[in-house]
Amino acid sequence: MGRAFEYRKAAKLKRWGHMAKTFTKIGKQIAIAVKAGGPEPDMNPALRACIANAKRENMPKDNIERAIKNAMGKDQSDYKEVTYEGYGPHGIAVFVETLTDNTTRTVGDVRSVFNKFSGNLGTQGSLSFLFDHKSVFTFKKKDGLDMDEMILDLIDYGVEDEFDEDEEEGSITIYGDPKSFGEIQKHLEENGFEVTGAEFTRIPNDLKDVTPEERETIDKMVEKLEDFDDVQTVYTNMKPE
């Protein structure tokens, strides 16, 4: 397995938290996609990606349709994507992605957690060098698929030659340039691949070892951050167990 897959597999449960909060977070993602490209999935690649992610998380069809409908309402809040970066306890880098309609509230919430755990909240972009920003696509594997040929077809979109295969699920996960998200998605769809997940991720490029006691403290900090509805994803450079 690749470094990216190992990190994502270990971090997934911590990042998403409880199911109810997952649906809230996906609902915000759908709202942004609808406002940017309209409510019709066939005409809106970003919305198709959100729906694929929602289905992967077992979000009911009614919830998905309601989120799309709510995004079209006149009173629906406009969400902004804002990131917060800093160091938590034991020198662990913490990168927080949010979708918020009130940045004053969100920065206050995030800062309160950093302060509680004796961390330091830095300026936006200050820790971006510690994390590789990637677009991530998971799709069902076809019989006779030649991955070397596929990667060659996608090389112009920054897709890495390292990919991850989940034999149990019968799926492939590839990683590419986040700026090429739409082009990669279009290529997969036009070539008949069933996309089961499409998102962005940040993969730490300098993992740090921690003791069990230190891990417990950092996990508590991550959980506190995830308790806020505005927080979408929390990344750290703590080495997975």
Side-chain angles (χ1 to χ4, degrees):
M1 294 182 182
R3 172 175 63 92
F5 182 82
E6 291 178 352
Y7 171 77
R8 282 167 49 75
K9 183 178 180 181
K12 186 176 188 300
L13 291 178
K14 295 184 180 116
R15 280 167 41 192
W16 282 110
H18 300 296
M19 187 66 68
K21 286 189 174 294
T22 298
F23 293 168
T24 300
K25 296 173 191 297
I26 293 176
K28 288 185 178 182
Q29 295 169 4
I30 288 174
I32 283 185
V34 169
K35 285 189 172 294
E40 297 297 332
D42 289 345
M43 304 296 293
N44 187 339
L47 180 57
R48 290 200 299 275
C50 288
I51 292 173
N53 292 336
K55 290 180 177 178
R56 184 185 60 189
E57 298 294 340
N58 297 314
M59 187 173 183
K61 182 179 178 181
D62 289 347
N63 292 47
I64 297 173
E65 292 176 348
R66 189 181 307 117
I68 294 173
K69 183 178 180 180
N70 289 342
M72 298 167 59
K74 294 181 180 179
D75 296 330
Q76 180 70 14
S77 298
D78 288 321
Y79 294 110
K80 297 179 180 178
E81 297 176 329
V82 184
T83 62
Y84 300 95
E85 303 147 59
Y87 285 96
H90 314 297
I92 293 297
V94 181
F95 200 108
V96 185
E97 294 180 339
T98 72
L99 286 178
T100 178
D101 59 354
N102 186 326
T103 55
T104 301
R105 176 192 66 224
T106 305
V107 69
D109 289 341
V110 172
R111 180 177 286 116
S112 70
V113 175
F114 272 83
N115 290 342
K116 181 176 181 178
F117 287 86
S118 301
N120 295 297
L121 188 61
T123 58
Q124 191 173 35
S126 60
L127 296 185
S128 59
F129 69 97
L130 286 176
F131 296 85
D132 296 329
H133 194 200
K134 299 291 182 180
S135 58
V136 185
F137 290 87
T138 300
F139 54 90
K140 292 293 184 180
K141 183 180 180 181
K142 288 182 179 182
D143 291 338
L145 175 63
D146 186 332
M147 282 303 299
D148 290 336
E149 182 178 334
M150 183 175 188
I151 295 298
L152 188 61
D153 289 340
L154 291 169
I155 194 169
D156 288 340
Y157 304 132
V159 172
E160 300 175 354
D161 56 9
E162 181 184 69
F163 60 90
D164 300 306
E165 182 173 358
D166 188 326
E167 294 184 2
E168 183 177 340
E169 294 292 332
S171 63
I172 300 287
T173 299
I174 59 174
Y175 304 86
D177 186 337
K179 295 178 182 178
S180 299
F181 185 94
E183 289 89 345
I184 298 171
Q185 181 180 358
K186 181 180 179 182
H187 178 91
L188 292 173
E189 292 175 346
E190 289 183 345
N191 284 275
F193 288 97
E194 181 186 350
V195 178
T196 58
E199 59 184 331
F200 297 97
T201 194
R202 296 180 190 274
I203 302 169
N205 55 46
D206 181 26
L207 294 171
K208 294 191 64 173
D209 286 311
V210 293
T211 66
E213 293 77 14
E214 291 171 341
R215 182 180 302 278
E216 183 177 358
T217 300
I218 297 161
D219 283 345
K220 286 181 179 179
M221 179 182 182
V222 171
E223 289 169 4
K224 287 291 185 183
L225 287 168
E226 291 178 333
D227 279 342
F228 298 121
D229 287 340
D230 293 340
V231 172
Q232 289 284 302
T233 314
V234 180
Y235 301 96
T236 77
N237 68 338
M238 178 173 62
K239 190 174 183 178
E241 292 180 290

